């Protein structure tokens, strides 16, 4: 379970999150929708622990533990995973090396033994096959020269391997063609259950058709301005954000 | 010309044996005329040997039984075929027996027998003092599969001046992979020379790992490539109190190819200077120089590269890249990538960058659960290791990769 | 495609005679005796009615100079200069003291007219409307006239010959002269300090944006005469000034020495933009004659957030030895260097810049485009340095060389020195020739080889041309085409 309370965050002296409160229960899929620049990516970065974000007030708790003082790696070891809106390219670092380092670091942090290489390779290959990721892609450096859609698939591959308890998907659907969207959504859905929860950031109902949410939140100007059931997303698709933008300005 | 002679120069003069050969004396005079290079000599500006070398240790003798004992102890066992030198002298007693390997010929040389190479005072000094190196020949058309290792060890237990001088020669069409391990310990002064001559269509993979170089050390490599010869050379440097490793390469035949790369992983007060002059002396040659520096503590990295293209070397393709990663505020990097071009139909370029670790990449790794220090090591490893990829020999690549990962394992976490 | 057409037109209108500024002006002049000694230094100082401190300053420089050696590290080659065989002072008769246009010898006015430099205050530089440029015209060793002085005066801007500033604003001159380029800096700067004759002085008071472009036009006319001008520009806090410099000289068979010093000082938030179109006589195709251009130019970003930007188009001179530099001392200050250096015939160029990052958050940018043709040698030499304390220093360097013909040389010698882990330096360089494919494509569309070459070269240097003020950009474009004449065979 993740609980965010009254979160105020500034970047480079500019206030971006303005008293945001949000709770995602175990096993829940929550969607966040909101206009460009409302602070959705900022929220995901702050939860993941990126530097340069000044938390002015509020708290973030993962399963009851305050994580604000924890490093990004410690948060990851607690089961937090972020699908980046713009996944990074890391020249020179082989994808396999990267995956192995991540998996073993997390296992180690949880007091589990390292995965034998053969077992590791098997798992990666299986996951890659499901996501239509070629062996050739696995041989290249992390995300280098990948298309936008390939990068997203690589993100989902990592998620499948690391089996996080809590995932934030920041515009997972952007850059994906319709088939890839389906494949990736299946990857996400395969992890559903077992008390895993998801925070799905998107602009489009289409993604939510594939990953049906339990709740939908609308975010505007750094806070949640409305929450509701799946029908809220459909309403937004029809009417846009105008109502909320004005409401926030008033 | 450096004006007044330094104390070290005078000491060298005293060390040259009275019965030195005429040619040794000639080389010494040449050295004396130029003097010990220092910061006022443009090509030595960043490595002030004149100031660093205050006292000249006694010249090392040919190894005796005690010296061989010391070296043998350090040598340990290996599966590779090895050629061992002690204090710069070829030591057949410690080397493997190559007589069973087809296409390899090894012989001892006395006083400097092979000359040529660049006009460089330290090379002249080496020619004046060197005694007893080896000549390693790979015959015409021979394909030597196993990696041959050259191990340079110390025998003397006190400070010595060492002047190793060896020659590797590949006949036309020959192929080989050679690993050089330089491990002479931190003591003393070193001024070594390695000559590499590649016949037409031959190919050599050459990797050198320099660890624990002498207090003050200069290594000079003279490389000549005939038509269509290929050299892929990588140097991995670490723990170098004061090292200048210089390459003088002549691409002498049409279509020759050079891949010259290296990585320097430095900390403490290490100083490593990689200097290269690549002469495209024939048309349509290709050269790639790629060097990476990882600099922590008070380390000082120096890169000097010069590509020279005379008028007749049309269709030259030369590219040079140097990148420095500064991990500490006390570390420093100087780079001077030069192009000297007199032919018009060429494609030459160089790039140089000095940076720190990329904060975004670190964060990305950390969100995947990799602790900060680990993440740094992964990025540093990736930064440096890609220079090994130029080697065709899988065996050599593996050795260097392992070395690099050992080095990073030992590394103190960067602050 | 308008730009392309324009370039083509420009190239078509080229003069047959490559160097069109090579005429001489017949005018009586007053010279100091040939040679250099303490007496000559005193003579120059006396001619300018200088205060005692300045005479002494010159004498100290002269003493120092006699102990120095000519620098030899640059990739240029020329016979030994006989410093005793030169005139160090030459002035057209009747040019003492401040003057207005009405006092200027009509022969001189005609000279500047022929050079395309309008000295009348109503006119404007060729081809450009409604832009006024104030001009300080320096002829051999003296300034003959400075225009728009009054109007500039209203804004508080001081723009006058430095010899005049010594009289009218001694406190400013004394405070800043030699504060960027010390008397002892290098052989040629020290020589200049001893014998400098004239040059421009600019002071822009706090908060003032200089109402027009300022420019100095240098002309060497006399035979066997060195020109040693000295320029000093001070931009006080929050001010802005754009300054242009142009140079020409007659065709002469012997070499002439030009050893100038330019000092710029930018205080807090001030900005100085300094542009040069250097078109000194380059010598003939056999390498006879031409100017030795040995110049020390340096800007000091002394104040926080100050900015100095050098733009140069170097087409002239037999030998160029010149490194306009920036000392980035003030926090968050910025230095820029944009250069086009073209060499043809037997010209030798060794030019570049230094960016010395001393303060925090300082940044710099270097764009250098070298073009060598004929039998010329063209070297870029540049240093980028970050001090230990220069946190977050940033530099981006791009230097490209183009070779036209197979008898010339293009060389690149960068020195990159970082002593700070937060420094970020990036350097790129390429050397290539004009691609046959590009040439073919242009020619297939009907361009002659020379037109095609000029077109491609203009594309190659575009990044830098864009940095020039409009009127200079047009002139520079023409110049580039002229300089490359005869280079395509
Ligand atoms: N480092 C930064 N410096 C200054 N402003 C920033 C910084 N990072 C984010 N912002 C600003 O914060 C606001 C929120 O950005 P954020 O990326 O969180 O929006 P978003 O809701 O994810 O938008 P989108 O739907 O376009 O992805 C934007 O106005 C953005 O410009
Ligand atoms: Mg976003």
């Amino acid at each position: 379970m993740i609980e965010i309370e009254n979160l105020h965050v500034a970047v480079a002296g500019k206030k971006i999150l303005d008293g945001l409160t949000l709770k995602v229960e175990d096993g829940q899929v929550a969607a966040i929708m909101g206009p460009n620049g409302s602070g959705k990516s900022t929220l995901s970065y702050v939860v993941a622990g990126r530097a340069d974000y000044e938390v002015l007030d509020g708290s973030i708790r993962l399963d009851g533990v305050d994580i604000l003082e924890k490093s990004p790696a410690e948060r990851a070891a607690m089961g937090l995973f972020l699908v980046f809106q713009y996944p990074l390219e890391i020249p020179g670092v082989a994808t396999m090396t990267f995956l192995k380092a991540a998996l073993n670091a997390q296992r180690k942090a949880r007091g589990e033994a390292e995965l034998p290489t053969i077992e590791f390779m098997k798992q990666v290959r299986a996951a890659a096959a499901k996501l239509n990721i070629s062996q050739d892609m696995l041989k290249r450096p992390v995300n280098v020269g990948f298309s936008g859609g390939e990068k997203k698939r690589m993100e989902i591959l990592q998620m499948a391997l690391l089996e996080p308890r809590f995932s934030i998907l920041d515009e997972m659907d952007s850059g994906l063609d319709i088939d890839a969207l389906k494949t990736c959504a299946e990857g996400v859905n395969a992890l559903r259950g077992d008390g895993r929860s998801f925070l799905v950031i998107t602009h489009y109902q289409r993604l939510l058709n594939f990953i049906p949410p339990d709740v939908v939140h609308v975010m505007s100007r750094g806070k949640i301005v409305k929450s509701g059931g799946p029908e809220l997303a459909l309403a937004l698709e029809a009417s846009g954000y105008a109502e909320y933008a004005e409401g926030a300005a008033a | 010309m450096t004006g007044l002679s330094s104390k070290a120069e005078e000491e060298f003069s005293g060390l040259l044996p009275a019965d030195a050969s005429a040619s040794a004396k000639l080389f010494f005079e040449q050295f004396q005329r130029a003097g010990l290079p220092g910061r006022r000599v443009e090509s030595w500006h960043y490595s002030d040997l004149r100031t660093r070398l205050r006292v000249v240790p006694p010249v090392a003798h040919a190894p005796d039984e005690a010296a061989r004992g010391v070296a043998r102890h350090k040598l340990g066992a290996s599966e590779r075929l090895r050629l061992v030198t002690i204090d710069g002298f070829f030591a057949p007693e410690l080397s493997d027996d190559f007589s069973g390997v087809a296409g390899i010929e090894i012989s001892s040389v006395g006083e400097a027998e092979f000359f040529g190479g660049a006009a460089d005072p330290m090379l002249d000094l080496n020619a004046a003092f060197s005694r007893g190196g080896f000549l390693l020949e790979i015959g015409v058309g021979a394909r030597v599969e196993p990696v041959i290792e050259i191990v340079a060890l110390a025998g003397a237990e006190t400070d010595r001046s060492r002047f190793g001088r060896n020659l590797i020669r590949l006949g036309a069409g020959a192929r080989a992979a050679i690993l050089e391990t330089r491990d002479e310990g931190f003591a003393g002064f070193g001024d070594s020379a390695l000559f590499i001559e590649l016949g037409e269509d031959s190919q050599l993979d050459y990797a050198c790992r320099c660890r624990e170089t002498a207090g003050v050390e200069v290594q000079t490599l003279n490389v000549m490539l005939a038509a269509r010869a290929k050299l892929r050379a990588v140097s991995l440097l670490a723990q170098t109190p004061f090292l200048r490793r210089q390459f003088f390469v002549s691409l002498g035949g049409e279509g020759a190819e050079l891949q010259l790369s290296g990585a320097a992983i430095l900390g403490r007060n290490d100083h490593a200077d990689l200097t290269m002059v690549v002469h495209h002396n024939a048309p349509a040659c290709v050269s790639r120089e790629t060097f990476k520096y990882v600099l922590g503590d008070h380390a000082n990295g120096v890169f000097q590269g010069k590509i020279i293209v005379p008028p007749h070397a049309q269709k030259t393709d030369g590219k040079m890249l140097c990148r420095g990663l500064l991990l500490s505020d006390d570390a420093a990097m100087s780079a001077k990538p030069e192009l000297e071009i007199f032919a018009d139909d060429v494609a030459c370029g160089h790039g140089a960058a000095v940076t720190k670790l990329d904060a975004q990449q670190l964060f990305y790794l950390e969100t995947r659960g990799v602790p900060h220090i680990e993440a740094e090591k992964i990025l540093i490893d990736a930064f440096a290791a890609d220079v090994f990829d130029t080697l065709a020999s899988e065996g050599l690549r593996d050795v260097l990769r392992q070395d690099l990962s050992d080095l990073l394992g030992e590394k103190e976490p960067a602050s | 495609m308008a730009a392309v057409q324009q370039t083509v037109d420009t190239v078509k209108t080229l003069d047959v005679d490559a160097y069109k500024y090579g005429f001489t002006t017949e005018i009586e002049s007053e010279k100091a005796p040939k040679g250099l000694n303490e007496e000559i230094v005193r003579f120059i100082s006396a001619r300018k009615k200088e205060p005692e401190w300045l005479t002494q300053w010159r004498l100290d420089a002269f003493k120092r100079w006699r102990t120095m050696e000519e620098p030899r590290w640059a990739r240029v080659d020329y016979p030994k200069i006989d410093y005793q065989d030169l005139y160090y002072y030459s002035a057209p008769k009747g040019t003492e003291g401040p003057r207005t246009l009405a006092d200027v010898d009509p022969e001189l006015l005609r000279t500047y007219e022929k050079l395309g430099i309008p000295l009348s205050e109503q006119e404007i530089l060729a081809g450009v409307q409604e832009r006024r440029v104030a001009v300080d015209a320096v002829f051999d060793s003296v300034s003959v006239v400075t225009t728009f002085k009054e109007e500039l005066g209203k804004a508080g801007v001081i723009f006058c010959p430095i010899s005049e500033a010594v009289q009218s604003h001694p406190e400013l001159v004394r405070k800043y002269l030699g504060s960027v380029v010390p008397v002892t800096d290098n052989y040629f700067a020290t020589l200049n300090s001893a014998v400098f004759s004239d040059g421009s002085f600019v002071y822009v008071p706090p908060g003032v944006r200089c109402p027009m472009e300022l420019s100095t036009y240098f002309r060497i006319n006399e035979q066997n005469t060195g020109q040693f001008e000295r320029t000093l520009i001070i931009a006080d806090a929050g001010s802005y000034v754009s300054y242009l410099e142009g140079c020409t000289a007659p065709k002469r068979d012997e070499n002439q020495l030009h050893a100038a010093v330019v000092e710029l000082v930018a205080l807090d938030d001030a900005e100085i933009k300094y542009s040069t179109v250097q078109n000194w006589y380059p010598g003939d195709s056999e390498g006879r004659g031409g100017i030795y251009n040995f110049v020390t130019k340096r800007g000091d970003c002394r104040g926080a957030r100050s900015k100095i930007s050098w733009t140069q188009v170097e087409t002239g001179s037999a030998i160029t030895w010149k490194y306009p530099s920036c000392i980035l001392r003030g926090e968050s200050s910025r230095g820029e260097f944009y250069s086009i250096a073209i060499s043809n015939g037997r010209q030798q160029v060794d030019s570049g810049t230094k960016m010395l990052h001393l303060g925090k958050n300082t940044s710099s940018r270097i764009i250098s485009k070298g073009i060598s043709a004929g039998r010329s040698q063209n070297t870029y030499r540049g240093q980028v340095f970050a001090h230990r304390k220069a946190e977050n220093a940033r530099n981006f360097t791009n230097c490209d060389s183009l070779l036209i013909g197979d008898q010339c040389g293009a060389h690149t010698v960068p020195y990159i020195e970082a002593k700070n882990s937060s420094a970020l330096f990036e350097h790129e360089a390429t050397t290539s020739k004009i691609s046959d494919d590009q040439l073919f494509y242009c020619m297939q569309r009907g361009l002659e080889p020379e037109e095609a070459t000029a077109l491609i070269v203009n594309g190659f240097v575009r990044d830098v041309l864009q940095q020039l003020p409009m009127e200079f950009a047009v002139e520079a474009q023409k110049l580039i085409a002229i300089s490359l004449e005869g280079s395509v065979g």
Side-chain angles (χ1 to χ4, degrees):
Chain A
M1 182 171 65
I2 183 148
E3 298 156 286
I4 301 168
E5 248 176 62
N6 188 32
L7 193 62
H8 292 259
V9 172
V11 189
K14 182 179 159 195
K15 187 137 187 203
I16 296 179
L17 297 186
D18 191 16
L20 182 133
T21 298
L22 177 71
K23 189 164 159 182
V24 187
E25 305 280 358
D26 283 350
Q28 205 178 45
V29 174
I32 292 191
M33 304 181 85
N36 293 134
S38 54
K40 304 180 299 293
S41 295
T42 303
L43 172 66
S44 55
Y45 286 140
V46 174
V47 174
R50 187 160 129 176
D52 304 333
Y53 288 82
E54 202 185 340
V55 177
L56 305 168
D57 199 5
S59 66
I60 306 175
R61 285 193 300 275
L62 207 57
D63 293 329
V65 180
D66 190 327
I67 60 169
L68 275 179
E69 293 302 313
K70 295 199 184 294
S71 74
E74 286 168 332
R75 298 180 201 204
M78 289 172 73
L80 183 73
F81 186 86
L82 170 62
V83 172
F84 283 60
Q85 185 174 357
Y86 306 106
L88 272 280
E89 298 191 1
I90 311 186
V93 177
T95 301
M96 280 298 193
T97 312
F98 169 78
L99 293 176
K100 198 168 169 199
L103 190 64
N104 283 333
Q106 295 202 20
R107 292 177 72 99
K108 197 169 148 201
R110 291 193 291 259
E112 299 165 22
E114 285 198 0
L115 207 57
T117 304
I118 296 180
E119 179 59 21
F120 163 77
M121 300 288 274
K122 232 164 78 189
Q123 285 194 14
V124 176
R125 291 221 179 89
K130 271 191 207 151
L131 289 159
N132 275 333
I133 291 172
S134 66
Q135 290 300 308
D136 172 56
M137 272 169 71
L138 291 174
K139 282 191 194 130
R140 280 150 62 183
V142 180
N143 288 331
V144 174
F146 286 17
S147 73
E150 287 171 340
K151 284 182 187 168
K152 289 292 164 70
R153 274 186 275 153
M154 193 57 83
E155 294 285 289
I156 304 300
L157 171 73
Q158 294 173 35
M159 187 167 98
L161 276 180
L162 298 170
E163 302 183 317
R165 298 213 347 97
F166 188 89
S167 308
I168 304 175
L169 282 54
D170 191 358
E171 300 199 22
M172 182 195 95
D173 47 339
S174 69
L176 287 181
D177 64 37
I178 192 78
D179 294 329
L181 180 62
K182 252 190 231 165
T183 333
C184 285
E186 276 162 21
V188 174
N189 288 331
L191 282 178
R192 279 180 87 159
D194 275 351
R196 294 203 177 85
S197 39
F198 297 84
L199 187 60
V200 182
I201 298 172
T202 184
H203 288 290
Y204 304 106
Q205 173 63 34
R206 201 179 53 186
L207 176 64
L208 303 181
N209 289 340
F210 291 109
I211 310 176
D214 300 308
V215 288
V216 174
H217 302 283
V218 181
M219 183 163 172
S220 176
R221 302 192 178 207
K223 57 179 147 217
I224 303 296
V225 291
K226 181 157 184 163
S227 303
E231 70 289 349
L232 182 55
L234 290 167
L236 280 173
E237 185 108 310
S239 65
Y241 298 114
E243 174 192 343
Y244 306 102
E246 274 163 31
Chain B
M1 246 141 317
T2 47
L4 286 177
S5 64
S6 75
K7 183 165 161 289
E9 279 163 24
E10 280 161 25
E11 287 182 14
F12 278 124
S13 173
L15 289 171
L16 194 71
D19 61 350
S21 71
S23 76
K25 283 182 178 149
L26 216 69
F27 278 108
F28 191 73
E29 277 164 26
Q30 228 162 281
F31 162 77
Q32 273 183 317
R33 245 172 282 141
L36 261 182
R39 52 183 304 112
R40 304 192 57 178
V41 178
E42 167 93 15
S43 59
W44 285 81
H45 179 77
Y46 296 110
S47 291
D48 191 353
L49 193 61
R50 211 176 160 75
T51 319
R52 281 304 283 256
L53 189 66
R54 293 272 180 216
V55 184
V56 182
V59 177
H61 295 295
D64 51 19
E65 201 39 57
R68 279 192 286 270
V70 171
R72 193 172 281 123
H73 180 72
K74 185 134 189 194
L75 188 60
S78 165
E79 285 170 3
R80 278 188 287 271
L81 281 171
R82 290 186 301 194
L83 228 85
V84 179
T85 66
I86 301 174
D87 294 330
F89 292 83
F90 176 42
E93 309 85 349
L94 269 67
S95 303
D96 286 309
D97 178 12
F98 283 79
S99 56
V101 192
I104 298 187
E105 200 73 56
I106 294 167
S107 46
S108 303
V109 288
E111 248 181 77
E113 285 175 7
F114 32 89
F115 305 118
D120 179 84
M122 299 315 287
L123 194 57
D124 291 335
L125 186 69
N126 171 283
F129 279 97
S130 88
R131 308 276 182 281
F134 64 76
L135 164 60
L136 165 62
E137 279 182 291
I138 315 281
V140 173
R143 307 255 157 136
V144 181
E145 287 301 331
V147 170
I148 303 165
E149 183 175 12
I150 299 166
V151 188
L153 295 172
E157 284 181 293
T158 50
D159 281 6
R160 284 286 180 273
S161 292
R162 301 186 182 89
F163 300 93
R165 186 179 179 99
N166 304 310
L167 170 62
I168 298 171
R169 184 180 285 146
L170 265 68
R175 291 206 185 167
I178 295 178
L179 173 67
E180 186 180 9
T181 303
R182 301 200 59 89
D183 203 355
E184 294 180 326
F186 290 124
F189 164 69
D191 178 21
S192 66
L194 177 63
F195 290 73
I196 299 178
E197 293 174 15
L198 301 186
E200 290 185 4
D201 298 294
S202 65
Q203 290 194 25
L204 175 65
D205 271 22
Y206 162 78
C208 177
R209 32 190 195 161
C210 302
R211 284 179 89 162
E212 297 193 13
T213 53
V216 175
E217 179 154 337
V218 179
Q219 303 169 352
T220 305
L221 286 93
N222 283 278
V223 184
M224 290 191 4
L225 285 83
R228 297 170 308 280
K230 289 194 167 106
L231 172 65
R232 298 171 286 261
V234 175
S235 310
L236 176 60
L237 313 185
Q239 298 163 314
T240 58
F242 184 90
L243 173 67
R244 155 94 159 202
R245 185 168 166 83
Q246 49 182 3
F247 300 84
F248 299 100
V249 184
S250 167
L251 295 157
E254 197 163 338
E257 263 186 58
L258 169 72
Q259 294 272 0
L260 193 58
S261 335
I265 315 296
L266 308 180
R268 301 176 306 186
N269 284 306
D270 291 345
H271 172 101
D273 170 347
L274 285 151
T275 291
M276 63 221 64
V277 180
V278 177
H279 222 110
H280 281 253
N281 265 328
C285 294
V286 176
S287 80
R288 293 282 178 278
E289 295 77 33
T290 312
F291 286 80
K292 305 279 185 91
Y293 295 73
V294 178
L295 305 165
D297 298 341
H298 288 80
N300 188 23
V302 177
F303 171 86
Q304 298 189 106
K306 189 190 268 187
I307 296 180
I308 303 176
V309 184
H312 63 277
Q314 296 291 5
K315 306 269 177 225
T316 287
D317 176 358
K319 298 214 168 50
M320 193 154 53
L321 177 75
C322 150
R323 296 193 59 192
L325 195 57
L326 291 179
L327 302 177
S328 138
D329 267 343
D330 297 313
M333 172 83 208
S334 303
K336 195 171 131 208
E338 283 181 75
L339 298 173
E340 208 175 291
I341 295 170
F342 299 91
D344 64 336
D345 190 4
V346 300
C348 290
H350 62 234
V354 184
T355 54
K356 54 181 174 174
L357 285 173
D358 184 302
Q360 298 239 42
Q361 294 179 351
L362 275 173
F363 171 65
Y364 188 70
L365 280 161
E366 286 183 71
T367 64
R368 283 358 181 197
V370 182
H372 192 78
I373 293 171
E374 265 322 295
E376 281 188 344
K377 281 184 188 165
I378 288 179
L379 290 180
I380 294 171
D381 187 89
F383 170 81
D386 77 341
V387 303
F388 306 151
D389 292 345
T390 53
L391 291 168
S393 156
E394 188 81 41
L396 287 183
R397 279 204 304 257
D398 289 346
V399 171
L400 294 182
R401 283 212 191 94
Q402 188 57 48
D403 267 27
L404 177 63
S405 103
D406 292 349
L407 275 170
L408 294 177
E410 287 165 16
K411 223 177 72 63
E412 293 293 307
S415 52
Chain C
M1 293 311 276
V4 175
Q5 191 51 48
Q6 183 195 339
T7 313
V8 174
D9 292 344
T10 313
V11 177
K12 278 192 181 140
T13 61
L14 293 182
D15 261 1
V16 191
D17 175 11
Y19 193 74
K20 59 177 182 176
Y21 309 102
F23 62 89
T24 32
T25 307
E26 292 307 326
I27 194 160
E28 244 191 300
S29 61
E30 192 212 351
K31 285 188 215 155
K34 232 184 202 179
L36 183 53
N37 52 47
E38 245 186 65
E39 281 321 297
I40 297 289
V41 176
R42 284 185 196 281
F43 173 92
I44 297 169
S45 191
R47 241 339 99 108
K48 311 249 169 215
K49 301 191 174 65
E50 284 173 356
E52 181 52 32
W53 69 264
L54 191 50
T55 312
Q56 199 51 52
W57 194 79
R58 288 175 178 274
L59 288 170
D60 288 348
F62 179 66
K63 219 189 236 162
R64 172 80 184 201
W65 179 74
R66 284 199 301 190
T67 68
M68 295 169 87
E69 271 177 50
E70 219 173 303
R72 283 284 164 204
W73 42 261
R75 178 189 281 279
V76 292
D77 185 26
Y78 54 93
K80 209 165 165 42
I81 297 172
D82 182 355
Y83 290 90
Q84 295 307 333
D85 195 31
L86 289 178
Y87 291 104
Y88 287 82
Y89 184 84
S90 167
K93 280 252 165 81
T95 50
E96 265 125 61
R99 290 156 306 275
T100 63
L101 275 170
D103 311 326
V104 181
D105 186 324
E107 188 59 30
L108 281 177
L109 288 181
R110 267 193 295 281
T111 299
Y112 284 92
E113 206 177 294
K114 246 168 124 178
L115 293 170
I117 307 301
L119 292 185
S120 119
E121 300 195 348
Q122 284 80 37
E123 279 182 50
I124 37 166
L125 269 185
V128 185
Q129 320 80 26
E130 296 172 29
R131 275 284 280 285
R132 289 170 315 161
V133 179
V135 180
D136 183 16
V138 178
F139 196 86
D140 290 336
S141 302
V142 294
S143 163
V144 288
V145 73
T146 309
T147 60
F148 289 108
K149 258 158 98 174
E150 265 176 47
E151 189 165 343
L152 287 168
K154 277 183 209 144
V157 175
I158 306 167
F159 178 43
C160 64
I162 197 159
S163 54
E164 194 182 315
V166 169
Q167 311 297 335
S168 57
H169 300 89
E171 70 301 335
L172 283 174
V173 175
R174 197 167 182 175
K175 180 167 175 192
Y176 290 106
L177 188 72
S179 75
V180 185
V181 178
V183 172
T184 54
D185 195 78
N186 70 72
Y187 189 78
F188 298 114
T190 306
L191 174 63
N192 174 288
S193 301
V195 301
F196 76 88
S197 36
D198 227 334
S200 304
F201 176 84
V202 177
Y203 173 79
V204 190
V208 171
R209 198 180 162 84
C210 188
M212 64 183 88
E213 310 263 2
L214 306 183
S215 84
T216 302
Y217 196 87
F218 294 100
R219 174 79 179 168
I220 300 181
N221 189 59
E222 263 316 314
Q223 216 155 346
N224 290 327
T225 302
Q227 192 177 49
F228 304 93
E229 91 263 5
R230 185 123 195 157
T231 296
L232 176 58
I233 299 179
I234 301 135
D236 213 323
S239 68
Y240 169 85
V241 60
S242 166
Y243 178 92
L244 325 171
E245 173 197 61
C247 350
T248 57
K251 288 185 178 178
R252 295 197 185 279
D253 280 347
E254 72 281 357
N255 298 105
Q256 282 174 290
L257 177 63
H258 174 255
V261 172
V262 174
E263 296 179 278
L264 312 183
V265 180
L267 301 181
D268 285 357
D269 298 292
E271 179 176 348
I272 302 175
K273 193 170 160 60
Y274 192 107
S275 314
T276 306
V277 174
Q278 186 265 106
N279 186 23
W280 294 118
Y281 178 53
D284 67 13
S285 56
E286 293 309 309
R288 272 188 303 263
I291 301 285
Y292 291 167
N293 191 33
F294 300 156
V295 174
T296 305
K297 291 183 165 178
R298 196 172 303 153
D300 189 352
C301 283
R302 215 165 275 186
R305 296 166 305 279
S306 56
K307 178 175 167 186
I308 289 177
S309 151
W310 298 99
T311 305
Q312 60 173 27
V313 178
E314 302 279 319
T315 62
S317 297
I319 301 178
T320 302
W321 180 99
K322 172 179 174 189
Y323 316 89
S325 309
C326 295
I327 303 170
L328 302 168
R329 203 185 301 272
E331 252 185 67
S332 304
S333 60
R334 178 169 175 84
E336 291 174 347
F337 175 75
Y338 300 99
S339 169
I340 299 171
I342 300 183
S343 55
N344 199 351
R346 303 258 181 180
Q347 280 177 278
Q348 304 174 51
V349 180
D350 194 299
S351 182
T353 184
K354 286 184 192 178
M355 292 290 171
L356 305 177
H357 291 259
L358 306 181
K360 287 182 186 165
N361 300 320
T362 48
S363 62
S364 61
R365 182 178 164 88
I366 299 172
I367 310 282
S368 162
K369 306 279 178 181
I371 297 152
S372 1
R375 292 162 172 268
S376 68
Q377 298 296 330
N378 200 328
T379 303
Y380 166 83
R381 189 183 301 277
Q383 184 187 17
V384 177
F385 169 86
H387 190 267
R388 245 186 125 271
K389 300 213 169 97
E391 263 171 50
N392 295 317
R394 294 278 178 276
N395 166 267
F396 174 78
T397 299
N398 172 275
C399 61
D400 295 329
S401 308
L402 201 60
L403 290 144
I404 302 176
D406 55 8
Q407 311 218 32
C408 50
H411 319 291
T412 320
V413 192
Y415 304 74
I416 302 154
E417 301 165 5
K419 298 193 187 295
N420 186 299
S421 68
S422 58
L424 196 66
F425 286 177
E426 276 177 87
H427 171 103
E428 295 167 0
T430 61
T431 303
S432 52
K433 68 165 187 170
I434 294 181
S435 99
D436 293 335
D437 292 346
Q438 286 174 337
L439 273 179
F440 173 71
Y441 184 81
C442 297
M443 293 191 295
Q444 203 281 320
R445 299 294 186 260
L447 295 182
E448 294 297 323
E450 289 205 351
E451 294 170 336
T453 304
L455 185 85
I456 294 167
V457 168
N458 268 315
F460 176 73
V461 301
R462 198 190 53 218
D463 292 353
V464 176
L465 278 183
Q466 281 170 348
Q467 300 296 327
L468 283 173
M470 248 290 274
E471 49 274 61
F472 262 39
V474 175
E475 190 182 335
Q477 219 171 34
K478 280 189 206 163
L479 251 181
I480 290 166
I482 293 169
S483 319
L484 289 174
E485 250 178 33
S487 63
V488 186

